[in-house]
Amino acid sequence: MKFKKRTYKNPAEFFKDFWYLTKSGGRISKTMKSGIIPHRFRERLMLAVTAVNGCKYCSYAHAKQALKTGLSQEEVDLLLSGSIANCPEDERIALIYAQYWAESNAKPDSDAVNKVKEFYGEEKAEAIELILRMIRMGNLSGNTWDYFLYRISFGKLGV
């Protein structure tokens, strides 16, 4: 499955993501340290979103991190191809949601949001949303940077 590479189309998109994460600053640290979303699960979520957004920098970094957390190369490869076949059953709803969330440009319908909240609970669903926003900002920033390099090098670098 091939996904479209996404970039920030205008500064307003970037600042919306940036504002969300800035206002969530304390929650980011708490979420990462709390263990509410185990490290392997976090990496699976990040790889699922990265596969949709097509950021080569994030694909490399999170594949490497995922391997360090104990994911197999096969699972990493499957996640980066858009498949969740080898993922734990209890994480699949979140991973499908993560893919849908990224494909919908971070604008999922309320039914999907409610299903995640119902399955994982309010606190865990908020942590999942925060992780998705963090990787989105990284993906779209990386892709935007890559496109910038491509443009200023007249096609010799980037993309």
Side-chain angles (χ1 to χ4, degrees):
M1 183 183 288
K2 186 74 174 158
F3 295 100
K4 180 182 174 196
K5 192 176 228 186
R6 297 179 194 274
T7 61
Y8 281 115
K9 302 287 186 226
N10 63 57
E13 288 181 44
F14 172 82
F15 287 111
K16 182 178 178 185
D17 284 343
F18 183 76
W19 172 251
Y20 181 89
L21 293 176
T22 302
K23 124 181 143 166
S24 303
R27 281 194 355 222
I28 292 171
S29 178
K30 180 183 171 194
T31 298
M32 294 305 171
K33 292 177 183 173
S34 72
I36 189 168
I37 306 289
H39 201 177
R40 287 182 185 173
F41 187 14
R42 261 195 335 250
E43 290 305 323
R44 285 185 186 99
L45 288 166
M46 291 189 176
L47 288 171
V49 172
T50 296
V52 173
N53 290 329
C55 178
K56 66 183 178 186
Y57 305 110
C58 294
S59 293
Y60 174 80
H62 287 286
K64 188 175 177 181
Q65 192 61 39
L67 292 170
K68 284 183 183 178
T69 68
L71 269 68
S72 69
Q73 183 66 54
E74 179 187 13
E75 187 175 358
V76 170
D77 291 343
L78 284 169
L79 283 164
L80 287 173
S81 72
S83 172
I84 60 165
N86 285 3
C87 297
E89 192 71 35
D90 63 327
E91 295 178 6
R92 289 190 182 172
I93 288 176
L95 293 168
I96 292 167
Y97 174 75
Q99 290 171 330
Y100 165 66
W101 184 90
E103 289 166 359
S104 69
N105 202 24
K107 296 176 184 111
D109 64 51
S110 59
D111 290 340
V113 173
N114 290 336
K115 182 165 185 156
V116 171
K117 287 180 181 177
E118 183 180 300
F119 189 82
Y120 293 102
E122 190 77 33
E123 185 181 17
K124 198 166 188 173
E126 283 181 19
I128 290 168
E129 177 79 16
L130 186 62
I131 290 164
L132 300 181
R133 287 205 176 268
M134 286 180 356
I135 193 61
R136 171 187 156 83
M137 186 162 188
N139 289 168
L140 274 59
S141 295
N143 288 343
T144 302
W145 173 251
D146 202 40
Y147 185 68
F148 174 72
L149 288 177
Y150 177 80
R151 293 298 299 233
I152 66 168
S153 70
F154 299 102
K156 293 179 183 155
L157 301 172
V159 185

